[in-house]
Each structure stands twice: as structure tokens, then as C-alpha cells.
Amino acid sequence: MLPGTCGARARRPWESPCWVDPVSNGLHLHIKGCLNFSGDALKDENRVANIAINENGDVVGFFVLHQYYQHEGYDTPENVVYVRSLSVNEKYQGHGYGTKMMMFLPQYVQELFPDFNHLYLVVDAENKGAWNVYERAGFMHTATKEEGPIGKERLYYLDLDSKHVSSLRLKEGESAYSDDI
């Protein structure tokens, strides 16, 4: 393995060395892909672990992009990318970082996986704050499952065809929240 790579071999250009996205769409949030951790899950060539870093260099969030994943109990296309293990550091919750991550996610996924146009995620049905963020970012609630692996859960979908997601961007200086929400 080459120094700075994140797997047994450098599979993608951003993995050698670990890639940091220099473009943050004016959001002061950078995504760093390809975390170099040990463990079977992160050695899976179909998973890319990511962290979100704010303008001060603080890790504010984490998520995994998992291509070809099939969540138990859902019939989704084979060529799909799932957002998994998405979380915002408790210290930074309520500051709009989750919304910023979700608004930047379609563009980021399209750059990493240009041959995929289906993006899915599953969330605990009781986590209304999370699914409100997903819906504001353009994800569509497509199914609710009463007895899923995480309990009652909601499946969300976003079509990554650029004609559908091109307008999903926050503008610099624009708040992720409104008093009307």
C-alpha cells in the first residue's frame, strides 16, 4: 500500500493521497473522503467514509457513501449509492451543518460516482429533525417500514440526474433556516 492511500490499492484519484474537496460552495464546509481507519467495513471497496470539516478545521459531521448497498427489506436499484451513518457532532447540532452537508451531497456524490444516479438513505422514523433536513435538500420520502433493522424507519430517495438537482445549492451568506420554518 502506498503511503497516504486508504485501501489495499489506490482505486480512485481522490484516494491517493486522501482527497480533500477544496470547493465548499461558499458554505465554509469541506468534505474529506477516504478516512484511513482499520476495520472490515472501511476496507470494503464499495464504501467511502467522509468527514465534514468547518472553516476552523473542526470535524462537524461524518457519513459513509456505500455503492451497491441494499438495505434490508427495500427493493432499490442495483446501481445505487446509500448515505449511511450520517451524523453531526452533538456540539455542532443546530448550527446548520447538517443542512449544509445535505445540500452539498448531490454534487459531491455525482463527482465521486458519476455512473450512479440513485441516492438513498434510511432514517429512524422518529427523527423528525433529520427527515425535515433531507426533505429540504430534495430527498423524497418513498417508504415507511414499521419493523426495520433500526425500528420504524423511513426510506428517502434523490434522483441524481443533474436536471433534478442543479438548483439544490445554498448561496453564500444565506441561512439554512428561516423564521417561517
Side-chain angles (χ1 to χ4, degrees):
M1 176 169 39
L2 299 171
T5 62
C6 299
R9 60 185 171 79
R11 297 181 315 274
R12 302 176 185 120
W14 58 87
E15 289 181 337
S16 182
C18 290
W19 178 72
V20 177
D21 176 25
V23 179
S24 64
N25 283 347
L27 301 175
H28 306 293
L29 186 71
H30 299 274
I31 305 295
K32 180 175 181 175
C34 185
L35 298 178
N36 195 3
F37 292 120
S38 62
D40 293 337
L42 293 175
K43 290 179 183 177
D44 181 343
E45 69 180 29
N46 291 322
R47 298 182 199 203
V48 177
N50 302 269
I51 56 173
I53 303 169
N54 69 10
E55 66 276 9
N56 297 323
D58 303 318
V59 175
V60 297
F62 173 84
F63 61 94
V64 173
L65 297 176
H66 194 170
Q67 61 184 346
Y68 305 113
Y69 176 72
Q70 291 296 308
H71 191 75
E72 182 180 316
Y74 295 108
D75 185 23
T76 55
E78 187 173 309
N79 288 343
V80 64
V81 175
Y82 264 81
V83 180
R84 301 184 63 200
S85 304
L86 181 112
S87 64
V88 174
N89 183 328
E90 187 174 6
K91 177 179 177 182
Y92 298 101
Q93 291 178 3
H95 299 280
Y97 287 113
T99 298
K100 291 174 186 179
M101 288 168 58
M102 293 309 298
M103 297 302 280
F104 185 59
L105 194 61
Q107 177 185 345
Y108 181 67
V109 171
Q110 287 174 318
E111 290 171 7
L112 295 181
F113 305 106
D115 296 331
F116 289 76
N117 61 3
H118 302 288
L119 183 60
Y120 284 90
L121 60 85
V122 175
V123 65
D124 179 343
E126 304 302 318
N127 191 347
K128 290 184 180 182
W131 49 264
N132 283 330
V133 169
Y134 305 148
E135 290 174 5
R136 283 197 312 267
F139 281 80
M140 296 181 297
H141 174 221
T142 60
T144 299
K145 189 172 172 186
E146 295 296 323
E147 297 291 329
I150 62 172
K152 186 175 180 180
E153 59 190 23
R154 294 168 63 104
L155 177 70
Y156 281 88
Y157 168 71
L158 182 68
D159 184 344
L160 291 176
D161 184 335
S162 63
K163 69 182 179 191
H164 297 292
V165 298
S166 61
S167 64
L168 297 177
R169 305 286 184 263
L170 288 176
K171 296 178 183 171
E172 186 170 0
E174 182 179 296
S175 173
Y177 298 99
S178 166
D179 295 335
D180 298 331
I181 296 176

